[in-house]
Amino acid sequence: MSAAPTIDPGTHEPPDYQQVQSSAEFDELRRAHRSFAFPLTVAFVLWYLVYVVLSSYAGGFMATKVAGHLNVAFVLGLAQFVTTFLIAWWYSRHAARRLDPRAEAIKSRLEDGA
């Protein structure tokens, strides 16, 4: 049985997180995240609410047969799942291209300064 390696905390000072948070670099990262995540979140919540409202107040429309035993409600319900996965994929792609490089640059600067 081996013991877990010990990490020497060193004698360096921790980064000044308030200074990092107020930097232009961090502000760009935050803006890149918010400009993507907030509108997409609002759009998805509205899409979900439309589905719920239609389910509650437009029963005739939702019961309309599309193909065989499949009705509009079932198709829109499946579309909810598809959109969820598409949004997750799209955000992952956005983060890898736009957010992660910026975050990595900030992290590197913090580690180099520490």
Side-chain angles (χ1 to χ4, degrees), residues 42-105:
V42 168
F44 183 77
V45 167
L46 288 174
W47 157 230
Y48 175 74
L49 290 176
V50 164
Y51 177 74
V52 170
V53 168
L54 286 173
S55 295
S56 297
Y57 298 106
F61 169 71
M62 295 296 268
T64 304
K65 299 287 183 188
V66 175
H69 293 290
L70 300 178
N71 59 18
V72 172
F74 186 78
V75 171
L76 291 180
L78 285 178
Q80 289 285 319
F81 285 100
V82 171
T83 3
T84 300
F85 288 108
L86 282 174
I87 289 171
W89 169 79
W90 193 15
Y91 179 79
S92 174
R93 192 170 159 221
H94 170 75
R97 289 182 176 179
R98 305 249 199 275
L99 303 179
D100 292 349
R102 291 176 180 169
E104 195 59 41

Side-chain angles (χ1 to χ4, degrees), residues 7-14:
I7 298 173
D8 179 19
T11 58
H12 63 274
E13 291 293 320

